[in-house]
């Protein structure tokens, strides 16, 4: 199959996470820009992602959606980039744990806060994340033990969680704890992260 990477995105979306991941991977890719409510809902794109949402990635005949899944896929498809620990290792276990913690509890808790939803304390046990405080405390504990989430090297888990923390603190949905600020500042200062932001910022609608 063709090895072409096609990246479907909008600069005002979670596609910014995948752009960063693509810049870390360092492989050539083609960007297809889509607009909310129009080209994202057109039949051509719905054949790629029936949800009508970005980001999405086509790699030859393979299609991947969901930001965390795309990050994990790219880390495995291009192992030379060193963005995932070795399979079966203790570091790989931590990598899976925190990558999916970001995609599950962090995403759900922060989204609920931003939408004004509050889970009653007596119903917290029925929620997949319990409470936002519990989520942030768990993440703070993990980040207090080292520079990275999975061993002593940067991985796709750090990219995904670092992007969430950066945005959450910027928009007020995640409180600015010192450990979060240090971690997000370090992770978001990587050369690939800076390149990705510059690319996407240049694609934003002009005011």
């Amino acid at each position: 199959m063709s090895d072409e990477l096609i990246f479907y995105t909008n600069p005002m979306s979670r596609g910014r996470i995948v752009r960063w991941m693509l810049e870390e991977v360092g492989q050539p890719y083609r960007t297809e820009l889509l607009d909310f409510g129009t080209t994202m809902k057109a039949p051509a794109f719905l054949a790629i992602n029936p949800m009508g949402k970005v980001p999405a990635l086509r790699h030859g005949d393979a299609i991947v959606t969901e930001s965390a899944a795309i990050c994990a896929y790219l880390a495995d498809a291009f192992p030379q980039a060193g963005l995932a620990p070795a399979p079966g290792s203790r570091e790989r276990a931590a990598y899976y744990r925190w990558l999916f913690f970001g995609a599950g509890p962090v995403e759900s808790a922060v989204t609920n806060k931003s939408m004004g939803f509050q889970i009653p304390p007596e119903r917290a046990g029925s929620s997949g994340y319990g409470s936002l405080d519990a989520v942030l405390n768990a993440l703070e504990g993990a980040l207090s033990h080292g520079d990275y989430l999975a061993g002593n090297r940067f991985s796709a888990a750090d990219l995904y969680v670092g992007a969430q923390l950066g945005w959450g603190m910027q928009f007020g949905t995640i409180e600015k704890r010192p450990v979060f600020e240090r971690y997000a500042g370090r992770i978001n200062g990587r050369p690939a992260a800076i390149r990705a932001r510059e690319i996407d910022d240049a694609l934003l609608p002009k005011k």
Side-chain angles (χ1 to χ4, degrees):
M1 72 178 182
S2 167
D3 290 332
E4 184 182 27
L5 285 166
I6 305 174
F7 171 43
Y8 302 88
T9 190
N10 180 288
M12 298 176 67
S13 75
R14 289 172 177 80
R16 293 178 80 101
I17 299 174
V18 173
R19 172 86 69 186
W20 177 6
M21 185 68 185
L22 285 163
E23 290 297 315
E24 291 281 358
V25 165
Q27 296 295 312
Y29 64 93
R30 176 161 61 88
T31 301
E32 292 283 344
L33 290 176
L34 301 173
D35 293 322
F36 298 102
T38 57
T39 48
M40 274 187 216
K41 305 302 182 184
F45 184 64
L46 291 176
I48 293 166
N49 184 2
M51 293 288 288
K53 291 178 174 286
V54 292
L57 184 78
R58 182 192 288 275
H59 185 204
D61 293 334
I63 294 173
V64 193
T65 65
E66 315 314 315
S67 299
I70 296 171
C71 289
Y73 175 84
L74 287 170
D76 286 345
F78 302 100
Q80 65 273 22
L83 294 168
S89 66
R90 180 177 61 183
E91 291 78 14
R92 185 75 167 208
Y95 166 80
Y96 282 136
R97 176 184 182 181
W98 296 110
L99 180 61
F100 289 101
F101 187 82
V106 175
E107 175 75 14
S108 297
V110 171
T111 297
N112 281 355
K113 178 179 180 178
S114 68
M115 298 293 179
F117 301 146
Q118 175 106 24
I119 294 178
E122 67 274 13
R123 299 296 303 276
S126 301
S127 164
Y129 64 84
S131 70
L132 179 59
D133 279 344
V135 169
L136 296 184
N137 290 341
L139 194 54
E140 182 177 21
L143 294 173
S144 297
H145 298 300
D147 289 343
Y148 303 108
L149 287 166
N152 59 5
R153 291 181 57 186
F154 175 83
S155 72
D158 294 297
L159 186 153
Y160 188 77
V161 172
Q164 288 181 302
L165 285 175
W167 287 345
M169 289 188 291
Q170 179 181 349
F171 294 110
T173 54
I174 292 177
E175 64 185 87
K176 293 182 177 180
R177 301 184 183 186
V179 67
F180 293 164
E181 292 182 303
R182 289 193 298 270
Y183 175 75
R186 183 171 63 253
I187 297 302
N188 286 280
R190 291 175 61 84
I194 295 170
R195 286 197 307 273
R197 285 197 299 273
E198 289 175 346
I199 293 169
D200 278 323
D201 286 348
L203 295 171
L204 290 170
K206 299 297 186 288
K207 294 183 179 179

